[in-house]
Amino acid sequence: MKSLYIQEIARQIRVQTWQVENCQELLLDGCTVPFISRYRKERTGGLSDIEVAEIKHWTQVFEEMEKRKVSILGTIQEQGKLSPALQKQIENCLSSSELEDLYLPYRPKRKTRATVAVAKGLEPLADLLWNGKSRDPERDAQKFVKGEVASVEEALQGARDIMAERISESAPVRENLRDIYRTRRVTSKVTKAAENNPEAAKYRSYFNYAQPIAKIPSHNLLALLRARDEGYLKVEIDADGEKCGNKMYYDFCQEHGYPAREAGLQVREAVDDAWKRLLDPSITGEVLREAKEKADVESIQVFGENLRQLLLAPPVGQKRVMAIDPGFRTGCKVVCLDAQGNLLHHDVIFPHPPVAKKIQAITTVADLVEKYDIEVIAIGSGTAGRETEDFIRKVGLPESIRIFSVSEDGASVYSASEVGREEFPEYDVTVRGAVSIGRRLMDPLAELVKIDPKSLGVGQYQHDVDQGLLKEKLDNTVESCVNSVGVSLNTASPYLLQYVSGIGPALSKAIVQYRKENGNFTSRQQLLKVPRLGAKAYEQCAGFLRIPGAAHPLDNSAVHPEAYHIVDKMAKDLGVSTRELVGNAELCRRIKAADYVEGDFGLPTVNDILQELQKPGRDPRETAQEFSFADDIREIDDLKPGMELPGVVTNLTAFGAFVDIGLHENGLIHASQMGVKGMAVPSQVLKLRQTVKVQVISVDLDRKRIGLRLLSKS
C-alpha cells in the first residue's frame, strides 16, 4: 500500500506507521483480527483488537479509493485533459469528496443547461466573460445570435449557464463552501404532510428546530433525517446566500481579475445562479451526508459497545434449567434443559387469567422441578413476565433454586429462524423460544450469536445508519467477544464455532461433523484431521479453543500450541512437570519472564503466557446475580415523582440509558441525570444489564414516558 495511505491510517488511529505496515502484512497473510491482537503483539506493538479492526477497515477503504483513482485517471486521460499537475493532485488525494471534486469537471455529463448552451456554440462568449475580455457583453453577444440562438439575452443566458456550471464544478469553490456550511445551523420546518398526522407526532420536538451542525447530537441528526425521508420535515442548512455569493465573486475576481462593470454584472449573476441552483442543494446534501457519516459512526460505536456488554453478560454456567416463556391467554411455555442445554421436556401451564388453572400449574412446576432436579429458573421478561415471576416465587420451591428474569429480545426471531428450525425441527416456535430463554441464561454468548444482533434491542437508530458499516462493526464485536472468552471445542454449536478465529461457517460444520463421527476431541492437534482444516486455519483457531480434561494441560488454556515449548522449558527449569506448573500461581510467580524471551516470542507474549498459566481457561465474565423489582409498582399509574426504585439497564444510547423498573414501559435516565461532571457518555457510566437504583423525576401518562435519575449502581 502507498505510504501516503499508511501515514493517514497511522494518523487517524494514532499509532506508528510501522505498526500499520506490520498489521497489514499479517492481514494479507490471512491472519484474523483476534489472532493478530492476541498472538502477534511483538509485530504490532501491542495493538488492541479494536485498533487492528480499524486498520483493516481503513486499508479496505483506501484500496477502494486507489481503484477509483485509477478509473478517474483513465477517463481524464482518454479525454486528453490529464496534466501532470492534475494527476499529482488526484494521486495525493485522501478524501473522497476532494477526489470527486477534482473529477467533477471531467465526468461524463447528462444534458444540462450548460451542455445545451455549449451545443449552441456559446462557449466562446462564456470564455470572453470568464477571462475578463469583454467590455460590452451585449455587443459581444450579438455575434452569437444565429442558428438556435434567437436573441442577445438568450446568448448571454447560455454564457451565464456555462459559467455557473464551471463555478459549481470548481474544487476550491466547493471546499470553501463546505467549510462555511460546516459552521452553520441545521434547521427543520414541519411540512404539510405532517399536519394532523399522528405518525408525525413523534417528531414534534423537531417541528421548529435549529442547531449548529458541528454540535448536533448524533441521535438528533438521525431523527431529523428520518423525518425528512418520511416527508414530515424540511431539513436545510441556513447558509447566507448573499454572503456566500460575495465570497465566491471575490474569490473569482482574485483569480481572474476584476472584469469591466457590465461584464462583472454578468459574472455576478452567474455566481448567484451557481450558488442557488447548483451549489446550495449539492453542498447541503454533501455536508448533511458528512454529518450523517459521523452520526452513523457514533451510533454504531454505541451499538457495538452495547452488543459487547450483552454478549459478555454473566452466565449461570452448566446448570439444569427450567425456562418459562410467559403469556396470559395462551399460557406459559415451560421447558426443562439439562446442564448442556439439551431439551428434556416441554409443557404449557395456565397460572393467569383468563384460563387461571393455578393449582394445576403449581403441581406441574413442582413435579418438573423434582423430576429434572432443576437448579435455576429462567423467566422471560416480556408480557406476563412480572406476573409469572410472582407466581413461581409463591410455588414453594426449594430455597436453593435461583430465579432469574431474562430478556426476551430476539427469542421470537430465533424461534422462527433457519437456525431454530435446524436445531429443533420437530418443535414449534413456542418451544424454541422458551429453549432460547433458558440457554441464554446458561451462556448468553453461545446463544445470542445465533440471532441477528439488530434484533437484540440494544441499538440506536440502527435501521438509519450505514448498513455495511454496521454489519462490519457487529461482526467484529461478535468475533472479539467469542475469542476473548474462548470456546469449548467439544460442546460448542456450529453457530458459535463459526466466530472462532480462522474457522467460519463451513469449517464449523466440518468440526461438528467430525466430532459426531469420531467422538470428542482429546487434543488440539486432532483438529488437523478435520477435512479442509489446514495448517493456516489451525494456527488461527487453536489458541481460542478449549478442551477440558485434555491429555495436554495447555489444551484447555489460551496458550497457543506454538508456545508450548516455552512452558515446557519453564517447568523443566523449576524441576516440575508441565501439568504441575499449569494453574500453580506460586510456581508462576517464581518465573522471570525475561529469561524466556526468544525469537518471535517477546516479553508481551511471555507475560501473557505467565498470566494464563496462573488461571488457565479462566472465563473473563462475571457471575450472574438474582434481581427483584419493587413489589408495589405494577403500572405506570403507580409511579410518583420522588420514588426510589431498583431497575436493570436495558439499552444505552448517546443521550441516556433506558431502565426496566418492572413495567411495560422502560424509564429513561437522561445523560444529564447520571450525576457525573464533564463529557462522560452513558456507556462510560453504566453497563448493559447492570442493576441500578433510580429516582422517578417525571411521569408523562399521555406519552407513557418515565424520567429517571441515577442514584446508585451495582
Side-chain angles (χ1 to χ4, degrees), residues 51 54 70 84 147 179 210 243 247 269 276 353 363 406 421 438 459 482 510 512 515 608 611 713:
E51 290 168 324
E54 281 282 288
V70 171
D179 287 342
K243 288 183 178 179
K247 168 68 173 166
E269 193 172 338
K276 184 176 181 179
T363 302
V406 178
R421 292 193 297 272
V482 170
V512 172
R515 196 170 67 197
D608 281 348
Q611 185 177 1
K713 55 187 178 178

Side-chain angles (χ1 to χ4, degrees), residues 201-202 204-205 636 665 700-706:
K202 59 189 173 186
R204 63 186 182 188
S205 301
I636 191 171
E665 301 82 14
D700 185 335
L701 295 176
D702 292 335
R703 293 196 289 176
K704 295 189 179 299
R705 292 186 177 180
I706 305 164

Side-chain angles (χ1 to χ4, degrees), residues 73-197:
L73 289 169
T75 300
I76 301 175
Q77 181 71 56
E78 288 174 4
Q79 297 174 9
K81 298 178 180 179
L82 185 61
S83 66
L86 177 59
Q87 181 172 346
K88 186 176 181 180
Q89 273 187 293
I90 290 173
E91 288 176 344
N92 289 337
C93 269
L94 289 168
S95 159
S96 58
S97 60
E98 180 187 356
L99 178 61
E100 296 304 326
D101 281 351
L102 291 171
Y103 179 46
L104 189 58
Y106 309 97
R107 179 187 293 164
K109 294 181 177 64
R110 298 177 180 177
K111 185 177 180 180
T112 66
R113 282 166 48 172
T115 60
V116 170
V118 170
K120 290 179 179 180
L122 294 172
E123 192 164 22
L125 177 58
D127 289 340
L128 286 173
L129 296 168
W130 185 265
N131 296 316
K133 299 291 180 64
S134 175
R135 293 191 169 277
D136 189 340
E138 292 193 359
R139 184 186 64 193
D140 291 332
Q142 186 64 51
K143 302 172 186 176
F144 294 87
V145 180
K146 54 188 175 182
E148 295 183 60
V149 182
S151 65
V152 166
E153 179 50 39
E154 186 177 336
L156 289 172
Q157 180 62 60
R160 292 195 298 269
D161 288 342
I162 293 170
M163 289 192 292
E165 187 164 276
R166 287 180 183 174
I167 292 165
S168 74
E169 292 178 345
S170 165
V173 167
R174 298 183 72 85
E175 188 51 44
N176 285 338
L177 280 182
R178 274 194 288 267
D179 287 342
I180 293 172
Y181 278 49
R182 288 168 184 144
T183 67
R184 305 299 297 173
R185 298 183 306 168
V186 175
T187 64
S188 63
K189 301 288 184 183
V190 65
T191 64
K192 289 184 178 180
E195 294 176 4
N196 302 318
N197 189 325

Side-chain angles (χ1 to χ4, degrees), residues 339-360:
Q340 286 70 47
N342 298 310
L343 177 60
L344 302 175
H345 178 84
H346 68 93
D347 212 326
V348 181
I349 58 175
F350 295 88
H352 312 305
V355 180
K357 294 182 178 179
K358 185 170 289 188
I359 300 301
Q360 182 179 327

Side-chain angles (χ1 to χ4, degrees), residues 415-434:
S415 61
S417 69
E418 183 178 346
V419 175
R421 292 193 297 272
E422 283 181 6
E423 289 197 302
F424 299 101
E426 68 273 35
Y427 297 106
D428 65 20
V429 293
T430 61
V431 174
R432 296 175 197 153

Side-chain angles (χ1 to χ4, degrees), residues 47 90 105 107 301 325 345 349 570 579 600 652 658 692:
L47 293 178
I90 290 173
R107 179 187 293 164
Q301 291 284 12
D325 185 358
H345 178 84
I349 58 175
M570 291 174 176
R579 184 171 294 279
D600 295 331
L652 292 167
F658 288 95
V692 293

